[in-house]
Amino acid sequence: MSNATTSTVAATPIMSHRDFRRTRHIKRNVRLHDQIRDLITANAACRYIGGNSAVEAIAARLGFQPHDLAIADVRVGRRIVTLICVPHRIWDRAFPSAKAIDLRFQARESGHAAILVPQSVIEREPRLGNSQLLARTATIKVDATSRMMILAHLIENGASCLSELAGLIQHPDPIGAILHLVTIGVVAIDLGQCITPYTMADIAAPQTGSRH
């Protein structure tokens, strides 16, 4: 090997185990934020707002790194709730989980409606997978005629499966159009069951537990 090659190899930085773990934790934190956003987007009763710098500052004072927790504000009706989502590696260990509980206490003392949410709750299936599917329909456009046709059918016939409703309208993505109506609270499905073409949908009613 030539001296030039040796110098090049020697100058190439090698990622330490600590740096590797930090990079992995950052990637997992980004994914956790995305999952939270999808869960909120899929729920017509809530609206994703974004991070909460004040609560993040409290977390930093307690020794948390920016990638340790996923902190997000969510509007529920007229109320803003701060979700403090705690990864497994923190929730499952006594000392860091106690610090997370302290963070919730201090956030509430500062006037934030803070709630601790373990990562296992965020990743619970089939709700997460269903929410990720619904979130992808958030930008789909559904014209008034298609919306009224769906509602008229549900009023006259009661709950109907997604494939039946999709057959009523002319749309580039008919199933996506029906699922979009779920995200805006017009139609309700049971997110506790995996979404299939035979998933039953009905007119949405407020405060229906696992339905929205």
Side-chain angles (χ1 to χ4, degrees):
M1 182 181 292
S2 68
N3 291 335
T5 304
T6 302
S7 299
T8 301
V9 173
T12 302
I14 299 175
M15 180 179 290
S16 68
H17 181 64
R18 181 176 181 180
D19 290 338
F20 175 79
R21 285 196 307 167
R22 183 175 184 276
T23 300
R24 183 177 60 183
H25 291 158
I26 290 173
K27 290 181 178 179
R28 290 179 175 176
N29 184 266
V30 170
R31 182 176 64 186
L32 187 56
H33 271 287
D34 289 341
Q35 291 171 336
I36 295 167
R37 186 181 296 106
D38 288 341
L39 285 167
I40 299 306
T41 300
N43 192 322
C46 304
R47 184 168 67 85
Y48 182 84
I49 297 176
N52 184 313
S53 58
V55 176
E56 290 167 357
I58 298 172
R61 289 200 299 270
L62 289 172
F64 287 110
Q65 296 297 312
H67 56 269
D68 284 337
L69 305 169
I71 299 173
D73 278 350
V74 177
R75 183 179 297 278
V76 184
R78 297 184 178 181
R79 187 184 185 203
I80 295 179
V81 176
T82 301
L83 302 182
I84 303 172
C85 300
V86 188
H88 301 304
R89 62 186 175 85
I90 293 176
W91 188 260
D92 296 338
R93 296 164 57 202
F95 178 65
S97 63
K99 285 202 304 179
I101 293 172
D102 189 19
L103 170 60
R104 178 188 61 183
F105 173 79
Q106 292 193 34
R108 289 181 174 178
E109 287 289 294
S110 298
H112 304 276
I115 299 175
L116 286 183
V117 184
Q119 183 177 355
S120 59
V121 173
I122 298 295
E123 295 182 338
R124 187 172 296 161
E125 295 289 0
R127 180 173 291 273
L128 176 60
N130 288 339
S131 296
Q132 290 172 327
L133 175 61
L134 287 168
R136 288 197 288 271
T137 73
T139 58
I140 289 179
K141 304 297 183 183
V142 181
D143 61 79
T145 298
S146 296
R147 177 169 171 165
M148 290 302 107
M149 289 178 67
I150 297 300
L151 289 175
H153 181 86
L154 293 174
I155 291 171
E156 294 173 6
N157 301 283
S160 305
C161 69
L162 292 178
S163 57
E164 180 182 358
L165 295 176
L168 299 175
I169 60 175
Q170 295 293 322
H171 195 282
D173 183 1
I175 291 288
I178 306 304
L179 294 180
H180 174 74
L181 296 180
V182 175
T183 68
I184 62 175
V186 175
V187 174
I189 62 175
D190 185 357
L191 292 183
Q193 301 294 325
C194 183
I195 297 175
T196 74
Y198 306 103
T199 294
M200 299 303 290
D202 205 347
I203 295 176
Q207 307 297 325
T208 52
S210 65
R211 298 165 66 88
H212 67 265

